[in-house]
Amino acid sequence: MEFRQLEYLAAVAETGGFSKAATRCFVSQSAISHQIASLERELGTELFDRSTRHVELTEAGKVLLPRARELLTLRDDAIAAVLPRPNQVRIAANMSFAGAALAAVSSIHDRHPDAEVDFLIKPFNQRIAAVVSGDADLALVRGKLPVDDPDASQLYLDPLWIEQPVVAFSPRHPLAKLGRPPSPTELAEYPLLLPPVDKQVLLHRLTERVFTKAGVTGTLGPEIRDGHPVSFDLVNQPESWTILYDDLKQPGIMCRHNPAFTLTVSAALRSDAAPNPLVADLLTELSGGYRRS
């Protein structure tokens, strides 16, 4: 049984004749008749009653037709799933990038009215894997790609913008009285609250880098529990502090920008990806001119 035989079956049933079916399928009438006859021999039953003026399905044909249509639909869906769609872009990111992504997508719709942009929420490692597998066209990431991840070797980073996380602490923190951002040396005197390294390796590396550059050693406090609002930890431990991405600031705590804490946000892309004007425009909007400066 071949897909073209099922296509011809559906065409004959829907047009009511072999001649009209041949016209629809852009083949000769003899080709239609030959393939239907071949299918009938394979199944051991007639699918059409040819004795009437209009060709009609037999009982066997009526049973087969809906299943043939279902198989043809599955075939078309499978083909569509792997065909390149130049008007579609899939972004793998986390929720902290949602605002920037939405603003960029809104901007490009004037130039690409048919654009379809999907925002896939994934943790870091899954973002990398999604781009490598082709499930995503790009991933938004902070910092560098992990050198110990073999998948990451297939990707490159396109820097988009510089992000400045905020230093956050309770209003009762001793440093809250300062009229300026606390320095790394001042921060090192108090316990730093962060999620476990495997949950937020980037912030751990960032603070280590800042402290090393300042020539001081920081002190890690208790780990922030998964799903637990950090603001409660800061209020309950008023001498502690943490680092937050700017758009994740929470009520009840004080936040200060400190130029020592900076991260580069980049798009992770496949090295062998085919050029896509929609992706290029989206990256330009996300960069906000940073790449041109």
Side-chain angles (χ1 to χ4, degrees):
M1 184 181 296
E2 300 176 8
F3 280 119
R4 64 174 174 170
Q5 293 173 329
L6 300 180
E7 288 178 343
Y8 296 163
L9 170 74
V12 173
E14 291 164 6
T15 62
F18 285 84
S19 178
K20 292 180 180 179
T23 300
R24 174 193 284 192
C25 297
F26 301 101
V27 296
S28 66
Q29 180 175 340
S30 62
I32 292 276
S33 299
H34 173 74
Q35 290 298 328
I36 294 296
S38 176
L39 180 58
E40 288 176 326
R41 286 195 298 273
E42 180 181 348
L43 297 176
T45 185
E46 290 187 349
L47 301 173
F48 291 100
D49 182 356
R50 300 169 175 79
S51 62
T52 59
R53 182 175 179 180
H54 295 285
V55 178
E56 296 180 356
L57 288 166
T58 62
E59 288 303 314
K62 292 177 182 178
V63 171
L64 179 60
L65 179 60
R67 291 166 174 78
R69 287 171 172 159
E70 183 177 353
L71 287 171
L72 293 171
T73 298
L74 289 173
R75 179 204 60 182
D76 294 342
D77 288 346
I79 293 173
V82 297
L83 283 178
R85 297 173 61 183
N87 67 327
Q88 182 189 47
V89 175
R90 294 156 299 177
I91 304 172
N94 61 23
M95 279 304 297
S96 67
F97 292 120
L102 182 59
V105 171
S106 298
S107 296
I108 67 171
H109 264 290
D110 289 339
R111 298 188 300 277
H112 303 275
D114 296 329
E116 179 185 339
V117 182
D118 294 331
F119 191 80
L120 313 175
I121 301 174
K122 294 179 179 292
F124 183 86
N125 289 340
Q126 290 183 24
R127 273 177 265 166
I128 299 302
V131 178
V132 171
S133 68
D135 289 338
D137 298 286
L138 64 100
L140 296 180
V141 299
R142 295 178 173 94
K144 299 179 180 180
L145 293 174
V147 295
D148 55 348
D149 186 343
D151 285 344
S153 64
Q154 303 178 46
L155 308 180
Y156 70 95
L157 292 181
D158 187 347
L160 297 176
W161 71 84
I162 296 295
E163 185 174 75
Q164 193 173 75
V166 295
V167 175
F169 41 78
S170 163
R172 294 187 292 145
H173 194 286
L175 297 178
K177 299 177 182 178
L178 294 177
R180 56 172 173 76
S183 68
T185 301
E186 292 167 327
L187 289 170
E189 298 179 12
Y190 300 96
L192 168 62
L193 306 185
L194 286 176
V197 176
D198 62 332
K199 298 291 185 181
Q200 191 49 268
V201 64
L202 186 59
L203 291 183
H204 280 267
R205 289 176 178 172
L206 173 62
T207 52
E208 288 173 7
R209 186 185 74 206
V210 169
F211 286 144
T212 299
K213 186 175 181 180
V216 295
T217 301
T219 302
L220 280 177
E223 293 180 343
I224 298 174
R225 290 172 289 168
D226 191 25
H228 186 73
V230 66
S231 55
F232 283 84
D233 290 326
L234 295 177
V235 170
N236 290 329
Q237 303 173 59
E239 291 202 350
S240 64
W241 64 283
T242 192
I243 294 289
L244 294 176
Y245 299 124
D246 200 8
D247 54 353
L248 295 180
K249 292 185 290 189
Q250 301 176 18
I253 56 177
M254 298 182 67
C255 296
R256 296 285 187 270
H257 283 106
N258 188 310
F261 295 88
T262 58
L263 289 169
T264 301
V265 176
S266 304
L269 303 136
R270 280 187 65 100
S271 302
D272 59 353
N276 185 327
L278 181 54
V279 171
D281 272 8
L282 182 61
L283 294 178
T284 298
E285 291 295 337
L286 283 167
S287 71
Y290 167 72
R291 294 187 298 171
R292 298 188 295 271
S293 62

